[in-house]
Amino acid sequence: MKVLTLNFLTCAVKMCKASNDSFPLHPKDAELAKDDVEINLQLLVNVLPRIDWTALRTTSTELGFPELPEQPPTAEDLTSDEKMLQDLHTLLLETQMIEGKLVCGHCGHEYAVREGIANFLLPSHLV
Amino acid sequence: MLPTPDTSHVPYSRVYEPAEDSFLLLDTLSSPSETTFLTSHFAPAATDPHPPAPLILEVGPGSGVVLAFLTAHALALFGSRALLTLGIDANRFACAATATTARKACAEHAATAALFLDAVQGDLATAVRGGAVDVLVFNPPYVPTEELPALLSPAAAAAAAAVMVGEGGWDEDSRLLALSYAGGRDGMETTDRLVAALPGVLSARGVAYILLCAQNKPEDVKERVRGFGASWKAETVGGSGKQAGWERLQIVRVWRARATEL
């Protein structure tokens, strides 16, 4: 599962939706791998305004990446700074969480990630 | 005609095999009227050189044939490659199948493909951030049945509850296949939950394509959507008119009109 995907996912428990603590989910015991994905500048530039940057900073730090700047880069930054583009591309689209858990900061439920597939089906007492 | 993605790797003993309903979705989504609608609906404003990339979610992608089609042919269908696609399926084998189908189709059509994110296991859109989805596609379990299969496998349910739970007689592979077609009362028990969740799931520019059969009472579904508010629209945009009888299929497009269109 890609780091970018984590920016769109939240705890599936209904009562957690109203809580800020249910997003982003916190990776635990994460095993990472790196895919080779071709860089698409236009896509990344258009993805930028979609990203919850604060959440991405949390995820990135929790996965052991160097701290991201407080403010997201601008489209101009990405177009002119090749290293920044490459780093963001690697973090968002090439880094894969293969095994581990995603933990909700509100209810504490742990979602398992196995073979790169996260499982958000809830046990019946949480539905 | 845009080529249909290869699904020869999909284990059809536990994942729904592309059928008339899947192909109706492909035909409708690639029809001139829908590509024109989608391209103009997501066209960047003249003032915004970097419009936020639309997120496409298919709920219950099964083999992945529809999601892979949308991803691989994004340029022809949406007029842009700057889109993200995501699948959510209750069936883990369908998640794996969808990822493979999407990767193969995108590799084959690299020059026109958007970016496939992932296929995750889950119940409808419950794990997706509110208001994040720009295009939602749903080919539901629409066949009227006596009962619904359990979402969790007996093993997962027992592990979670630490007791054995009755599973109504579905063995594991038939439970997985039943998840793809068995819709309970009027074939609508699952679709009703998805429709009710649409206002929370779709973005302000959100569009949804939902496949329905005649027994699902499509006119009622459209009325319910229009009841969400003045900006909510619902129209039938595709159908398989060839077959009379209860499984006549149609595709309803749900969208929110912009303030200027009201």
Side-chain angles (χ1 to χ4, degrees):
Chain A
M1 185 167 58
K2 295 178 174 65
V3 172
L4 179 55
T5 305
L6 280 175
N7 210 262
F8 294 112
L9 297 175
T10 178
C11 183
V13 176
K14 211 173 213 172
M15 65 166 191
C16 287
K17 298 291 179 196
S19 165
N20 291 330
D21 296 333
S22 64
F23 175 80
L25 298 167
H26 304 289
K28 184 179 159 188
D29 307 328
E31 234 174 82
L32 302 181
K34 189 171 167 289
D35 262 12
D36 278 325
V37 180
E38 205 185 323
I39 289 199
N40 179 341
L41 172 66
Q42 183 66 46
L43 176 79
L44 266 181
V45 162
N46 290 20
V47 161
L48 264 184
R50 291 222 54 146
I51 293 176
D52 184 317
W53 189 257
T54 310
L56 179 66
R57 289 185 75 207
T58 304
T59 307
S60 159
T61 306
E62 289 175 352
L63 288 175
F65 285 87
E67 194 175 356
L68 291 173
E70 264 181 52
Q71 295 302 320
T74 63
E76 290 69 32
D77 293 340
L78 279 192
T79 312
S80 61
D81 188 335
E82 205 173 310
K83 180 173 184 305
M84 184 184 286
L85 174 69
Q86 180 64 57
D87 286 353
L88 197 61
H89 172 76
T90 298
L91 173 67
L92 289 174
L93 302 181
E94 294 192 314
T95 304
Q96 295 274 351
M97 182 166 169
I98 303 297
E99 300 284 331
K101 296 185 171 75
L102 296 167
V103 185
C104 173
H106 187 246
C107 71
H109 189 68
E110 298 187 346
Y111 298 95
V113 179
R114 285 188 297 124
E115 295 170 337
I117 300 174
N119 181 0
F120 285 91
L121 289 178
L122 293 168
S124 52
H125 67 278
L126 287 177
V127 176
Chain B
M1 252 188 48
L2 300 167
T4 301
D6 174 21
T7 52
S8 57
H9 53 276
V10 178
Y12 294 133
S13 60
R14 21 170 80 146
V15 175
Y16 186 72
E17 183 169 358
E20 186 194 358
D21 44 12
S22 327
F23 299 123
L24 176 61
L25 266 171
L26 298 189
D27 289 347
T28 303
L29 289 164
S30 59
S31 68
S33 56
E34 289 315 299
T35 58
T36 303
F37 170 82
L38 289 169
T39 300
S40 103
H41 194 77
F42 293 104
T47 49
D48 188 357
H50 307 299
L55 175 67
I56 298 172
L57 169 68
E58 186 178 4
V59 173
S63 66
V65 69
V66 174
L67 192 61
F69 183 85
L70 292 175
T71 313
H73 305 305
L75 189 60
L77 301 174
F78 297 91
S80 169
R81 291 184 56 209
L83 289 89
L84 304 169
T85 70
L86 178 68
I88 297 188
D89 203 295
N91 176 350
R92 187 179 174 81
F93 299 102
C95 296
T98 293
T100 304
T101 308
R103 281 184 204 124
K104 278 164 79 168
C106 291
E108 206 174 315
H109 301 281
T112 59
L115 186 96
F116 170 73
L117 285 173
D118 282 290
V120 304
Q121 193 178 2
D123 175 26
L124 303 179
T126 54
V128 180
R129 269 172 67 199
V133 176
D134 297 302
V135 181
L136 186 148
V137 177
F138 190 33
N139 181 359
Y142 57 80
V143 178
T145 52
E146 290 282 313
E147 59 175 327
L148 285 184
L151 267 180
L152 290 184
S153 69
V163 289
M164 284 306 291
V165 183
E167 289 297 322
W170 309 93
D171 77 20
E172 187 53 7
D173 281 0
S174 58
R175 181 186 73 85
L176 291 173
L177 285 181
L179 277 173
S180 72
Y181 69 81
R185 191 175 46 80
D186 291 340
M188 281 297 288
E189 288 189 41
T190 303
T191 308
D192 278 342
R193 291 198 296 123
L194 190 277
V195 169
L198 284 177
V201 171
L202 290 182
S203 69
R205 59 177 178 169
V207 180
Y209 290 92
I210 302 173
L211 185 142
L212 298 168
C213 76
Q215 285 202 351
N216 298 156
K217 303 177 183 158
E219 291 308 313
D220 290 1
V221 175
K222 287 188 271 186
E223 276 313 307
R224 210 180 320 154
V225 168
R226 291 170 190 141
F228 292 154
S231 67
W232 287 84
K233 308 287 176 193
E235 296 298 339
T236 299
V237 293
S240 67
K242 288 162 276 181
Q243 252 180 309
W246 67 273
E247 227 200 5
R248 188 174 177 280
L249 305 173
Q250 64 172 275
I251 301 210
V252 171
R253 185 220 290 157
V254 171
W255 77 106
R256 299 171 74 171
R258 304 234 164 91
T260 50
E261 298 164 359
L262 288 175

